[in-house]
Every structure is written in C-alpha cells, then in structure tokens.
C-alpha cells in the first residue's frame, strides 16, 4: 500500500509514479497504481522535484508585517530581540507550522532552519510532514567567558531536537555568525558536529561591516576565519556570502562547504551588494538559494525568490546570459549541493516531489523550467508530496485554517504583551 500518481507529464510524456514508504518505488511510462494505493490522477499536471529552501528562520512568520522598512540594527535591536526574549515553545511551534503551511503550498519540500526553541520547530516540522534540518542556535556575544554556558545550552537544545524530531526533522548546529560567537565556541561546534556527524549552519559575510570587523579583529576575512576555526567542511551551510572575495570562494570550494544566497532578504535589508554567483560557480562552490526568515523577506515562496535571484544576477553583471533558468532551477531544487540535495526523481530516491498545474496560464506555452523560474510563483503547485505523503492535494491542505488562526493568536499575544 503506497501512494501512486498516474498519467502525469514528465519530459513531454505521460508517466506513473509509485511510492512505498518514504521512497519512490517505480517511475516511468506504464507504471500504474497497485491495489490499496492512494491514487492521484495526474491529468493536466506535470511532475517536478520538490524545492529546497537552504536558509530560513521559519517561526519568524510571527513577525510578518509587524516591523518593515527599517535599517538592520534598528529592526533587530528594537523590534526583533525584545519580542524573541518573550517567546515560548508554543509561539515557535505555531510560527513554524504557519511557515510549513506556506512552504507546502508553494512547493518547498525541505528546508534548513535556524531558530530559538529549535525542538519546538522540530515538532512542528514532524507534525506538518515536511523535511528540515532544525538547528540548535548558539550565541555567546563573542565573549569566551560565556562560551561554556552557550555550548552546554546548544548541546541541551540538540538533545531536545533529537527527542522532538524524527525521521523528517534532523538536528544540526547553528552558531549565529562570526561577530556574535567566540572562537572558543566556534571551535567547539566544529568538533562536536564532526563527532556527531551533523551539519552546521552559520551566517557569513552578510554585510560589509562584518567583513571590516573581521579584518580588524582577526586580520583575515570571514571565510578564512571560519576555516581557522575548523568550520568550512562539507557539512557546513554558509548563509548569505554577499561580500566573499575570490580567495574566500576558492577556499570554500576546496573545503566543500555550501553557500546559500538569500537575494530577497539581502535586497529588503539593503545590504548594498549582490552575491558573487558567477565567480562562485566558476570556482566550483556548492550553492543553494534560501528565503531567509519571513521577518526579512517576507515570503517563503521560493519560486518567487528564484526569479529575483536570476534578475539580480543579470542586472548586477549587466549580462542577461548570467544565471540562466536551468541553473536557477538546479539551485532551487537543491541540485547545486550534495549537502542540500533532496535527491533525484528516480526509483529508490526519496519520494519528495510536486505536481504543478501544467495548464496554468503562467506555465503556458514554452519551456516548463523557464516558465517556472521566470513566470510562475508557488501558486502553480497543485500537489506537494514529502516522504511519500501527499501534504497538499488539489491545493487543499488539511488543517490549514487552524494553523493560520492559532499563529495569529500567538503573534497578537506577543506584540501586545
Ligand atoms: Zn538568516
């Protein structure tokens, strides 16, 4: 008994897909449902891989629409941090459920999350049915005296994530950034993550000030500093990387870390630069795209961000041939990095995929990938399947109204409290 999609379009022909457990059991022309399968008729739909959001703070849906159009530090210090101090597990749980709802609706099947109360986020991910790496955050204000406490808190958070999570929500570490975490803690994270075989996520080179601060304090650039701390390996996701120079990109490519660019958040917070995509790609850096948190985006619709990424790159390079649609599609589906990669659509691979409405106005006529990147938004997604389970069918998600209502209640309480 599994899930079967019949007569769906893939590469110009009608195919069937059968999922057993969390995997694709069969895919191709002539693949039919078996007795007892849940069956989805694929007429008018096209099969594409699920999208991978490489960097977000999902529960920040709670902040959506509350504090826009402010400079970064004013936004953080006056609007975000005071509220975050009051947040409970339940606030993060519902904030993350709302994010999952939006991601399911817009075609994201897996995401990389960094936020407080990460065990509550892990529980939300499991309940929503998505996949995620939910990471234990670590900030010690770059004060080695606070390192021991911050590391033991991160370790405790990791144990709580493991307890609350399951096959879908996997644990990781999330030291916040080089300007907010001491060398002592960064080295501890590198060793602990290596011992446990879990990934690490960190913000890097988001602003020019961060690079200048790193040069002044350590006499080297941010990626070099992270390498010195042992954090530039294959299990690390570097979010942003707007100001990485060629020597840093070469080092990152050599060490195998993945850089996730967040074009919309960078533009909304006006960091003043564009991720050096062409130079990173030429050097063989593993790459992905993220939305960043919905407090600074404000959406989690990765197809919308794919277009912004492509346009920002073309515009900055004054070259329309930069970031062509098929490359952007690779990034947005996780195919630009083994670490992010959600796996290919093939028997034995994870049963994570989308059925998009092939007849939607935005997808007609012309090349499907070009239309998905340049013309569509997440509204073309009809069905979202994760780990062999249809989380959305025909645009309907079970329990969606309750998730919106509960999150609204929690946000109201936080902002009025
Ligand atoms: Zn971020």
């Amino acid at each position: 008994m599994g899930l079967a999609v019949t007569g769906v379009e893939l590469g110009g022909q009608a195919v069937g897909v059968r999922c057993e457990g969390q995997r694709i059991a069969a895919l191709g022309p002539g693949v039919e449902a078996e007795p007892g399968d849940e069956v989805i008729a694929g007429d008018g739909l096209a099969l594409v891989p699920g999208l991978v959001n490489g960097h977000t703070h999902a529960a920040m849906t709670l902040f959506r629409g509350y504090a826009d159009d402010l400079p970064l530090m004013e936004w953080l210090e006056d609007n975000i941090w005071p509220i975050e101090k009051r947040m409970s597990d339940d606030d993060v749980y519902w904030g993350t459920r709302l994010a999952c709802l939006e991601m399911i609706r817009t075609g994201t099947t897996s995401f990389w999350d960094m936020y407080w109360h990460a065990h509550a986020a892990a529980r939300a991910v499991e309940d929503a049915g998505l996949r995620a790496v939910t990471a234990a955050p670590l900030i010690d204000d770059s004060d080695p005296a606070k390192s021991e406490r911050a590391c033991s808190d991160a370790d405790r958070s990791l144990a709580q994530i493991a307890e609350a999570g399951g096959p879908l929500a996997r644990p990781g570490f999330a030291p916040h950034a080089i300007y907010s975490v001491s060398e002592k803690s960064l080295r501890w994270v590198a060793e602990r993550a290596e011992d446990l075989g879990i990934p690490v996520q960190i913000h890097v080179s988001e602003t020019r000030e961060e690079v200048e601060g790193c040069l002044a304090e350590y006499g080297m650039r941010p990626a070099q500093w992270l390498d010195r701390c042992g954090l530039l390996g294959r299990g690390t996701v570097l979010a942003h990387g707007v100001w990485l120079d060629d020597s840093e990109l070469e080092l990152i490519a050599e060490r195998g870390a993945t850089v996730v660019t967040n074009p919309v958040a960078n533009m909304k917070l006006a960091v003043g630069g564009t991720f050096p995509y062409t130079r990173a790609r030429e050097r063989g850096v593993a790459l992905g795209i993220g939305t960043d948190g919905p407090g600074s985006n404000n959406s989690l619709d990765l197809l919308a961000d794919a277009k912004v990424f492509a346009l920002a790159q073309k515009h900055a390079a004054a070259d329309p041939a930069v970031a062509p649609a098929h490359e952007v599609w690779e990034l947005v589906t996780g195919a630009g990095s083994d670490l992010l990669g959600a796996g290919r659509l093939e028997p034995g691979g994870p049963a994570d995929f989308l059925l998009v409405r092939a007849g939607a106005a935005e997808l007609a006529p012309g090349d499907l990938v070009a239309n998905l990147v340049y013309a569509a938004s997440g509204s073309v997604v009809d069905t979202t399947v994760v780990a062999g389970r249809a989380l959305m069918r025909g645009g309907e998600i079970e329990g969606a109204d309750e998730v919106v209502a509960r999150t609204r209640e929690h946000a109201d309480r936080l902002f009025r409290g």
Side-chain angles (χ1 to χ4, degrees), residues 19-37:
C19 312
E20 277 177 13
Q22 298 195 4
R23 306 242 148 224
I24 294 174
L27 189 163
V31 170
E32 297 288 347
E34 292 189 3
D37 282 349

Side-chain angles (χ1 to χ4, degrees), residues 168-194:
L168 299 172
R170 297 185 294 128
F173 278 122
H176 174 261
I178 57 169
Y179 55 83
S180 51
V181 183
S182 66
E183 176 181 0
K184 195 173 169 195
S185 293
L186 288 175
R187 287 183 185 279
W188 177 86
V189 167
E191 276 176 29
R192 193 92 177 98
E194 172 92 33

Side-chain angles (χ1 to χ4, degrees), residues 137-169:
L138 193 155
I139 292 183
D140 66 8
D141 304 324
S142 288
D143 179 355
K146 295 183 184 170
S147 173
E148 204 167 312
R149 171 82 189 270
C151 293
S152 72
D153 284 353
D155 239 356
R156 192 173 55 247
S157 171
L158 201 67
Q160 289 175 316
I161 297 166
E163 201 175 309
L168 299 172

Side-chain angles (χ1 to χ4, degrees), residues 5-52:
V5 183
T6 57
V8 67
E9 187 196 318
L10 175 68
Q13 61 176 342
V15 301
V17 194
R18 272 206 78 243
C19 312
E20 277 177 13
Q22 298 195 4
R23 306 242 148 224
I24 294 174
L27 189 163
V31 170
E32 297 288 347
E34 292 189 3
D37 282 349
E38 177 188 350
V39 182
I40 298 175
D43 318 53
L45 302 172
L47 175 67
V48 298
L51 310 180
V52 178

Side-chain angles (χ1 to χ4, degrees), residues 2 101 141 196 198 200 220-221 248 301 317 324-325 344 407-408:
L101 179 66
D141 304 324
L196 297 170
I198 61 171
V200 176
M220 62 185 85
R221 297 182 67 88
E248 291 178 287
D301 183 343
R344 283 201 285 273
T407 311
R408 223 186 260 282

Side-chain angles (χ1 to χ4, degrees), residues 44-46 48 51 101-108 299-305 329 354-363 368 371-384 392-397:
L45 302 172
V48 298
L51 310 180
L101 179 66
E102 187 183 350
M103 287 192 267
I104 292 166
R105 198 179 287 297
T106 52
T108 290
S299 141
L300 291 160
D301 183 343
L302 209 52
L303 280 181
D305 288 26
W329 183 246
L354 313 176
L355 307 177
V356 297
R357 292 183 289 110
E362 304 94 308
L363 297 183
L368 178 64
N371 291 343
L372 283 167
V373 171
Y374 293 130
S377 67
S379 66
V380 299
V381 180
D382 174 273
T383 299
T384 302
M392 175 167 79
R393 279 188 68 160
E396 295 294 323
I397 303 170

